[in-house]
Amino acid sequence: QKEVEQNSGPLSVPEGAIASLNCTYSDRGSQSFFWYRQYSGKSPELIMSIYSNGDKEDGRFTAQLNKASQYVSLLIRDSQPSDSATYLCAVNSAGNQFYFGTGTSLTVIP
Amino acid sequence: GAVVSQHPSWVICKSGTSVKIECRSLDFQATTMFWYRQFPKQSLMLMATSNEGSKATYEQGVEKDKFLINHASLTLSTLTVTSAHPEDSSFYICSARTGVRETQYFGPGTRLLVL
């Protein structure tokens, strides 16, 4: 079992819709959770971090964490074509190992 | 804040030569730096983790004698690809973080093409 799992996609949503990206992790003791965005040919950039159960909002982005279900998600409201990228979920495990998922490719269709 | 730079951004070299890539944290001290490699349309692959002043920890399958990592200060880590071959051509990305729970911040990456 991989430490962090994401659906590879591709996920396609129309412009203006909500894009929902999901991630599960295996280490129940994990403490820190991150979402990165990676455009084609570029390095990853941090979108959000979340440490506590519940929702954390930043502009059009909302991260949701459920430690009991070992699940973290990212919602993108009012999706724009510029949001088209690969989204990487990352988890800092109880042993302070940093694990990335393989990423979900998102395409926002104008 | 939290800016990480890499140099060079692009390098083309002949097979058999060595290439050094620098990774710098510009506005914070990085206790740990990471080196990744990414082939086209593939996931990030962690190569090694380096802590300032100590030897790097390499992931399984990564040759430590081929990929030399030095983390001489809290703001600089270098990756040297020794005797590069065409199969080493890839996108090399470093990241840095300040503490064990802290976010990793990525550099812009270095594209290596070995002819």
Side-chain angles (χ1 to χ4, degrees):
Chain A
Q1 182 188 8
K2 292 182 181 178
E3 299 289 341
V4 179
E5 301 221 35
Q6 295 179 255
N7 286 329
S8 61
L11 173 67
S12 294
V13 300
E15 184 174 355
I18 296 175
S20 177
L21 305 160
N22 305 312
C23 173
T24 58
Y25 59 95
S26 61
D27 186 345
R28 186 170 288 277
S30 298
Q31 297 292 324
S32 316
F33 307 87
F34 309 90
W35 282 100
Y36 290 83
R37 176 176 61 197
Q38 186 176 24
Y39 290 113
S40 181
K42 302 293 186 182
S43 67
E45 57 179 325
L46 178 70
I47 299 175
M48 292 186 72
S49 59
I50 186 167
Y51 302 92
S52 304
N53 276 328
D55 295 359
K56 179 181 178 182
E57 187 175 316
D58 184 0
R60 293 186 297 112
F61 298 97
T62 299
Q64 299 175 318
L65 175 61
N66 184 326
K67 289 187 178 181
S69 300
Q70 295 174 234
Y71 176 91
V72 58
S73 66
L74 179 71
L75 300 177
I76 307 174
R77 290 182 300 282
D78 188 24
S79 296
Q80 302 296 309
S82 58
D83 295 326
S84 298
T86 297
Y87 289 80
L88 302 169
C89 171
V91 174
N92 202 31
S93 72
N96 292 321
Q97 294 292 315
F98 207 95
Y99 296 103
F100 281 92
T102 54
T104 298
S105 175
L106 171 67
T107 300
V108 180
I109 303 167
Chain B
V3 178
V4 178
S5 70
Q6 273 185 251
H7 178 80
S9 55
W10 253 108
V11 59
I12 301 173
C13 69
K14 292 182 179 180
S15 184
T17 59
S18 294
V19 174
K20 181 186 282 189
I21 303 170
E22 290 186 351
C23 177
R24 293 182 185 272
S25 56
L26 297 185
D27 53 1
F28 66 101
Q29 293 188 325
T31 55
T32 306
M33 288 184 168
F34 304 85
W35 287 96
Y36 295 85
R37 180 168 55 180
Q38 189 173 37
F39 294 105
K41 299 189 185 303
Q42 293 190 21
S43 306
L44 284 174
M45 187 193 82
L46 179 65
M47 299 175 67
T49 301
S50 75
N51 292 295
E52 185 264 339
S54 62
K55 289 185 179 180
T57 302
Y58 290 82
E59 295 299 303
Q60 193 172 12
V62 178
E63 299 174 59
K64 63 180 181 180
D65 294 330
K66 180 170 182 63
F67 298 99
L68 301 179
I69 292 173
N70 183 276
H71 192 161
S73 77
L74 286 171
T75 59
L76 173 64
S77 176
T78 60
L79 167 68
T80 301
V81 183
T82 62
S83 187
H85 288 96
E87 57 266 30
D88 298 322
S89 299
S90 189
F91 190 35
Y92 291 85
I93 312 172
C94 74
S95 70
R97 71 179 184 189
T98 57
V100 291
R101 280 194 65 193
E102 298 304 313
T103 307
Q104 283 192 33
Y105 295 96
F106 284 87
T110 297
R111 293 204 178 279
L112 170 63
L113 177 61
V114 185
L115 301 175

